[in-house]
Amino acid sequence: MLDSLEEDRSSCSSDSSGGSGASSPEDSEDEDFGVGGVGHQLTTSSSSSSSLMLIKTNGQVYTYPDGKAGMATCEMCGMIGVRDAFYSKTKRFCSVSCSRSFSSNSKKASILARLQGKPPTKKAKVLQKQPLMTKLAVYAQHQSSQQGGARKSVSVDMFDWGRYLGDGEVTGAPVSCFKHVLMGKSWGSVSEGVRVEVPNTDSGLPMKVYWIASIIKLAGFKALLRYEGFDSDSTRDFWLNLCVPDIHPVGWCAAGGKPLVPPQTILHRFANWKTFLIKRLTGSKTLPPDFSSKVQESMQFPFKKQMRVEVVDKTHLCRTRVALVEQVIGGRLRLVYEECDDGTDDFWCHMYSPLIHSIGWSRSIGHRFKRSDGMRKLDGQTDAPGQLFAKVKEVDQTGLWFQDGMKLEAIDPLNLSAICVATVRKVLADGYLMIGIDGSEAADGSDWFCYHSTSPSIFPAGFCEINNIELTPPRGYAGLPFRWFEYLKESKSVAAPVNLFNKEVPNHGFRPGMKLEAVDLMEPRLVCVATVTRIVHRLLRIHFDGWEDEYDQWVDCESPDLYPVGWCQLTGYQLQPPAVTAGSRDLQSAGSKQRRKSQQYRGQKKS
């Protein structure tokens, strides 16, 4: 049987580009999984099989050669079902309510459907016929090649999230946790159980064919998939990034004339694949037809090369400098400080980072600023528009407000694993504060750091004690264990009022143990495999897998320096793998550990 099956599968592959590859039920017992007139015949031992053609009409509709209706997708809600059971003559809607919702105000319904991540109207589909994911792949490769000369880190392909995640026991933070990333606000249509069309790597055929798979588990942009027909058999499960080419909604093969072929491993399990598909797909969900175009649109970023910004001076935290955008990768910016002729004096951050601002920001709030000798715009350079930068909440400084000398607790910008006793050193305009870490400040205040009053990186006195976090006392302080009451009395100072701090805690969705990709903020060009190990309100403790706990960092849940699993693959950014074994740790120790001891990000790291 297998020999004859292989002969028939091979012989019919030559017909896959023709328009008459299907045979009638009366003439053949073969089942034809061709699409839109493209046939590929599979011979089985069954004598009761029938031919099956999948084509697209009025949306995503399956129609068989004998004229009987197949499957359809509701253009309003996305529900898949038997076409005969659909409402209206055109069978475009699954129910009367969907039909009425669509027809009562088609424009309003179309907009609403898009906001909800549902399929757009027929009119909208016309604008999205081209395979935009092909452009996305080219774009990602281009981005990757751009950064190749500037970065000397581990290759993108060296770390396999699929192997690391295993069979799904390891949890990845969902994309919805990251509002700043592509698709971060459009992920509602993606969930476990959704069906997609993916390449069939178990076809035994020389040509590229596809089959339907269901999402078993999600981890960021990655999905653990299982081909339809394997049921509870997980031996052939595989991980794929849902936002890269070759992941398509059900019906894509029908629309594009691609062969839909079941895996040869399970070919013997079902005699009638037509009945199998109808049963499995009825009532199921798939990706919106415009999913790939949404991914493509979200890959467009407003910052462009040669735009000028103000950014923190990495060697003197208390001031900013002018820098030029040199690269944009996935929303992350490589900035080169002005007056750097060879482009080596650079700084990496996200476009929504609180460390970058529009030209003139420092002067407007009274922040220290390093003026360049030239301070001129060269040909092709332009100031980045103010609306491109992250907005901070407006505050009222006329009443009770922060005062110079007030005490508080703050994440140390030079040692992000520590929350320290700190002091308000200067009150700036628009709610900004200059903060100094007690006991380790430079005499000239060059290591003061600017935090906004609503920053999630500053806390009222007693925050660490209440939340069982170790508070780092001032260097050389003798009155240990540290007690705020005694310290305020000894220093003749007052604590900043509790009601001045940001107390908002969003429903962020993070949980301890979740995997993600995180920027090492002490070396911000690196994005690393990481784990959320602790959550305190909106504060996350980020652990870099394979490294000691001393390198952990406290990061806000809405930080633009956190990304879902698969983000680096999607954008072409290089992901740093974990040091999971003694061998790999030794290999990395010469480079990575050395660079951690001589930080350039925010000045020399404190000992």
Side-chain angles (χ1 to χ4, degrees):
M1 171 185 170
L2 293 178
D3 292 339
S4 62
L5 175 61
E6 289 302 322
E7 291 175 2
D8 288 333
R9 287 162 67 90
S10 299
S11 64
C12 68
S13 65
S14 60
D15 298 331
S16 62
S17 60
S20 59
S23 57
S24 67
E26 293 80 5
D27 296 334
S28 173
E29 293 181 353
D30 296 345
E31 289 202 0
D32 184 6
F33 287 82
V35 184
V38 180
H40 188 80
Q41 296 179 335
L42 304 177
T43 301
T44 69
S45 58
S46 172
S47 61
S48 59
S49 302
S50 61
S51 298
L52 172 61
M53 289 279 291
L54 307 183
I55 65 174
K56 185 173 183 179
T57 62
N58 244 353
Q60 298 172 22
V61 179
Y62 295 79
T63 302
Y64 304 123
D66 58 6
K68 294 182 179 179
M71 308 297 291
T73 301
C74 178
E75 292 185 17
M76 187 63 204
C77 71
M79 179 67 72
I80 300 173
V82 177
R83 186 169 186 263
D84 282 343
F86 270 40
Y87 183 75
S88 79
K89 293 181 180 180
T90 57
K91 306 299 182 183
R92 294 168 60 190
F93 309 101
C94 66
S95 64
V96 176
S97 61
C98 279
S99 177
R100 288 177 177 173
S101 297
F102 187 95
S103 60
S104 61
N105 189 338
S106 61
K107 183 177 180 181
K108 179 179 178 181
S110 178
I111 294 173
L112 178 61
R114 283 183 180 150
L115 292 175
Q116 295 175 342
K118 297 177 181 178
T121 63
K122 183 178 180 181
K123 181 178 180 181
K125 289 179 185 177
V126 176
L127 304 177
Q128 299 162 357
K129 286 187 176 180
Q130 287 200 340
L132 295 174
M133 292 304 290
T134 303
K135 299 178 181 179
L136 174 60
V138 174
Y139 177 80
Q141 291 174 358
H142 172 67
Q143 294 281 42
S144 180
S145 62
Q146 274 191 325
Q147 64 173 333
R151 298 169 56 83
K152 297 180 180 179
S153 303
V154 180
S155 170
V156 177
D157 299 327
M158 286 192 67
F159 179 73
D160 182 2
W161 264 117
R163 290 187 178 183
Y164 200 63
L165 294 170
D167 58 2
E169 293 182 1
V170 178
T171 304
V175 174
S176 57
C177 292
F178 309 87
K179 305 302 183 185
H180 59 283
V181 303
L182 59 149
M183 301 300 290
K185 299 179 180 178
S186 305
W187 202 250
S189 59
V190 182
S191 61
E192 294 178 5
V194 165
R195 263 71 169 188
V196 292
E197 292 180 354
V198 298
N200 179 3
T201 58
D202 183 31
S203 69
L205 298 173
M207 59 184 291
K208 189 173 186 178
V209 296
Y210 295 82
W211 188 240
I212 297 170
S214 58
I215 297 177
I216 303 301
K217 187 163 186 177
L218 288 167
F221 289 118
K222 294 277 191 175
L224 183 63
L225 299 174
R226 182 176 300 168
Y227 288 126
E228 286 297 330
F230 276 89
D231 298 331
S232 60
D233 183 358
S234 63
T235 57
R236 291 299 184 98
D237 289 359
F238 55 98
W239 288 93
L240 281 181
N241 194 314
L242 289 178
C243 292
V244 298
D246 277 339
I247 306 292
H248 308 283
V250 173
W252 177 85
C253 284
K258 304 294 182 182
L260 197 62
V261 179
Q264 62 178 353
T265 302
I266 58 171
L267 194 61
H268 64 282
R269 293 190 182 182
F270 301 94
N272 193 325
W273 285 97
K274 176 183 68 175
T275 303
F276 168 80
L277 279 183
I278 292 175
K279 182 178 179 180
R280 285 298 175 89
L281 296 180
T282 299
S284 64
K285 289 280 190 178
T286 188
L287 298 177
D290 59 346
F291 184 78
S292 62
S293 61
K294 285 183 178 180
V295 173
Q296 173 66 18
E297 291 169 5
S298 65
M299 290 285 285
Q300 306 302 317
F301 304 102
F303 280 90
K304 307 300 179 183
K305 190 174 181 179
Q306 294 300 296
M307 280 187 173
R308 300 169 79 241
V309 301
E310 289 185 11
V311 63
V312 64
D313 186 340
K314 63 184 181 182
T315 59
H316 294 81
L317 305 185
C318 64
R319 69 187 184 191
T320 57
R321 295 174 61 182
V322 172
L324 293 171
V325 176
E326 182 62 26
Q327 283 179 275
V328 183
I329 304 178
R332 302 206 76 226
L333 310 178
R334 177 175 174 257
L335 306 173
V336 176
Y337 288 111
E338 203 167 60
E339 296 187 316
C340 175
D341 296 329
D342 59 3
T344 58
D345 192 9
D346 62 358
F347 182 83
W348 282 91
C349 66
H350 193 271
M351 63 182 183
Y352 295 145
S353 170
L355 302 177
I356 62 169
H357 309 276
S358 58
I359 297 296
W361 173 83
S362 297
R363 175 180 293 182
S364 69
I365 70 162
H367 193 285
R368 289 177 62 178
F369 175 76
K370 180 185 178 183
R371 294 184 62 85
S372 304
D373 292 339
M375 284 299 290
R376 66 189 186 280
K377 283 188 289 187
L378 302 178
D379 291 342
Q381 296 179 1
T382 180
D383 294 346
Q387 65 267 23
L388 301 187
F389 299 86
K391 301 296 186 293
V392 294
K393 184 179 179 180
E394 293 185 3
V395 295
D396 182 8
Q397 298 183 220
T398 58
L400 179 65
W401 193 243
F402 290 96
Q403 301 294 327
D404 292 0
M406 281 184 173
K407 300 293 183 180
L408 68 162
E409 299 175 6
I411 296 177
D412 185 351
L414 298 178
N415 182 9
L416 294 165
S417 66
I419 299 179
C420 307
V421 176
T423 302
V424 176
R425 292 303 179 186
K426 187 178 181 181
V427 178
L428 308 178
D430 295 341
Y432 287 95
L433 311 169
M434 296 303 296
I435 304 295
I437 302 300
D438 285 20
S440 56
E441 297 176 63
D444 59 356
S446 60
D447 58 355
W448 293 356
F449 194 73
C450 184
Y451 281 124
H452 193 264
S453 58
T454 60
S455 169
S457 297
I458 60 174
F459 318 95
F463 172 85
C464 286
E465 182 179 1
I466 293 173
N467 293 285
N468 195 27
I469 300 174
E470 182 181 357
L471 176 66
T472 302
R475 183 181 299 175
Y477 182 69
L480 299 178
F482 180 85
R483 294 287 185 270
W484 265 113
F485 180 79
E486 285 81 3
Y487 183 69
L488 292 174
K489 184 177 180 180
E490 293 171 7
S491 60
K492 298 180 180 180
S493 55
V494 296
V498 174
N499 60 350
L500 297 182
F501 294 85
N502 180 10
K503 295 180 285 293
E504 295 180 3
V505 181
N507 184 19
H508 47 72
F510 286 102
R511 299 289 182 270
M514 283 183 171
K515 298 292 182 182
L516 69 165
E517 298 174 3
V519 174
D520 178 356
L521 292 171
M522 300 308 295
E523 187 66 45
R525 68 185 180 89
L526 302 180
V527 178
C528 311
V529 175
T531 306
V532 177
T533 57
R534 189 180 177 191
I535 300 175
V536 180
H537 305 304
R538 61 180 301 147
L539 201 60
L540 310 180
R541 182 79 171 181
I542 301 298
H543 174 76
F544 298 103
D545 289 18
W547 294 99
E548 291 81 1
D549 293 346
E550 64 180 284
Y551 297 128
D552 291 0
Q553 297 177 2
W554 287 108
V555 181
D556 182 59
C557 65
E558 295 183 342
S559 169
D561 296 305
L562 302 178
Y563 307 101
V565 168
W567 179 86
C568 283
Q569 177 193 3
L570 182 58
T571 60
Y573 207 94
Q574 293 184 349
L575 178 64
Q576 303 300 306
V580 294
T581 64
S584 60
R585 188 177 299 235
D586 292 341
L587 288 174
Q588 291 189 338
S589 62
S592 299
K593 284 192 176 182
Q594 181 63 33
R595 53 94 179 162
R596 289 179 181 268
K597 292 182 180 178
S598 57
Q599 302 299 339
Q600 290 294 320
Y601 168 38
R602 295 175 177 171
Q604 188 68 26
K605 184 177 179 181
K606 299 174 184 177
S607 58

